[in-house]
């Protein structure tokens, strides 16, 4: 797992196994309608299917590693609150927001072909088009309060639920599909 932070909240990044990404895409394909953005819950039978190789167990292991690195605590219990698929088409944004859980994350399942003229386009605040943008703190001299990551299939980011994050719209063909999730935990 890679970690990103100079100070403040840590963002963890790792790559999910291809088989789990495919499993989620097979499930989500049944709900996809071209040109329509929507969100839908991933049911427990999809999340917990597969035992030690399940999506739930992978998220639990990810959370254990994240918490032990960030806080140097042993995790006693992890509870997956919910997981949902976010299917976004061209021109769809996900405004800056936070979650009510202790831990949140996003796993990228599909990425669009972004218009080459828009690649790297920044909005007024510096947020990147189609990227996941994390914000913490305010504008201060010699301080970075915004971090952006280009989505790639299979990459998963995990972060504190209170950390502001969002996605600016993209121009291009295809779907930007991700699975978002919320987790809670107790440490020893």
């Amino acid at each position: 797992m890679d970690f990103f932070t100079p100070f403040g909240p840590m963002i963890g990044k790792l790559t999910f196994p291809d088989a789990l990404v495919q499993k989620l895409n097979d499930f989500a394909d049944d709900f996809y309608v071209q040109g329509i953005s929507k969100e839908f819950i991933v049911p427990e039978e999809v999340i917990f299917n597969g035992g030690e190789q399940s999506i739930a167990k992978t998220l639990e292991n990810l959370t254990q590693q994240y918490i032990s690195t960030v806080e140097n605590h042993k995790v006693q219990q992890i509870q997956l609150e919910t997981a949902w698929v976010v299917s976004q088409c061209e021109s769809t944004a996900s405004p800056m927001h936070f979650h009510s859980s202790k831990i949140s994350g996003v796993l990228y399942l599909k990425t669009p072909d972004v218009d080459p003229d828009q690649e790297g386009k920044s909005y007024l605040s510096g947020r990147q088009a189609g990227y996941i943008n994390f914000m913490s703190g305010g504008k201060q001299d010699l301080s970075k309060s915004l971090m952006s990551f280009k989505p790639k299939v299979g990459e998963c980011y995990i972060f504190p639920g209170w950390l502001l994050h969002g996605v600016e719209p993209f121009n291009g063909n295809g779907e930007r599909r991700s699975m978002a999730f919320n987790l809670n935990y107790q440490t020893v």
Side-chain angles (χ1 to χ4, degrees), residues 52-66:
E52 291 297 310
Q53 281 73 47
S54 70
I55 294 162
K57 191 64 173 174
T58 303
L59 292 174
E60 181 179 309
N61 293 338
L62 166 64
T63 303
Q64 294 252 16
Q65 185 179 356
Y66 177 78

Side-chain angles (χ1 to χ4, degrees), residues 157-169:
Y157 293 90
I158 186 169
F159 47 91
W162 55 261
L163 182 60
L164 284 171
H165 58 284
V167 178
E168 299 300 329

Side-chain angles (χ1 to χ4, degrees), residues 1-178:
M1 183 182 303
D2 294 324
F3 289 91
F4 300 91
T5 188
F7 301 101
M10 276 194 170
I11 300 168
K13 178 182 122 181
L14 66 86
T15 302
F16 245 62
D18 292 340
L20 292 182
V21 171
Q22 187 59 50
K23 180 179 183 176
L24 284 162
N25 274 324
D26 289 345
F27 162 75
D29 284 343
D30 291 340
F31 295 87
Y32 176 68
V33 178
Q34 187 173 353
I36 298 178
S37 296
K38 61 174 149 178
E39 297 182 14
F40 44 92
I41 298 293
V42 181
E44 287 187 9
E45 58 266 19
V46 173
I47 294 291
F48 291 96
N49 185 1
E52 291 297 310
Q53 281 73 47
S54 70
I55 294 162
K57 191 64 173 174
T58 303
L59 292 174
E60 181 179 309
N61 293 338
L62 166 64
T63 303
Q64 294 252 16
Q65 185 179 356
Y66 177 78
I67 293 167
S68 67
T69 300
V70 174
E71 294 191 345
N72 198 24
H73 289 296
K74 188 168 182 137
V75 178
Q76 181 178 12
Q77 180 183 8
I78 297 173
Q79 180 182 3
L80 178 64
E81 188 177 289
T82 188
W84 64 101
V85 171
V86 179
S87 174
Q88 294 175 305
C89 59
E90 182 177 49
S91 301
T92 304
S94 178
M96 284 295 187
H97 63 282
F98 55 85
H99 295 228
S100 59
S101 59
K102 288 184 176 182
I103 300 285
S104 290
V106 61
L107 165 64
Y108 291 101
L109 304 173
K110 289 190 176 186
T111 57
D113 294 322
V114 176
D115 181 340
D117 293 336
Q118 192 189 30
E119 185 69 37
K121 175 185 174 189
S122 292
Y123 288 80
L124 291 177
S125 67
R127 297 184 310 264
Q128 299 289 309
Y131 287 30
I132 186 164
N133 301 288
F134 294 98
M135 292 180 72
S136 181
K139 179 146 176 48
Q140 300 176 36
D141 290 343
L142 306 174
S143 178
K144 186 173 176 116
S145 60
L146 172 74
M147 186 171 276
S148 298
F149 296 96
K150 182 178 182 176
K152 293 181 183 161
V153 172
E155 286 188 352
C156 181
Y157 293 90
I158 186 169
F159 47 91
W162 55 261
L163 182 60
L164 284 171
H165 58 284
V167 178
E168 299 300 329
F170 67 89
N171 292 330
N173 297 316
E175 175 190 17
R176 182 184 182 277
R177 182 186 289 176
S178 60

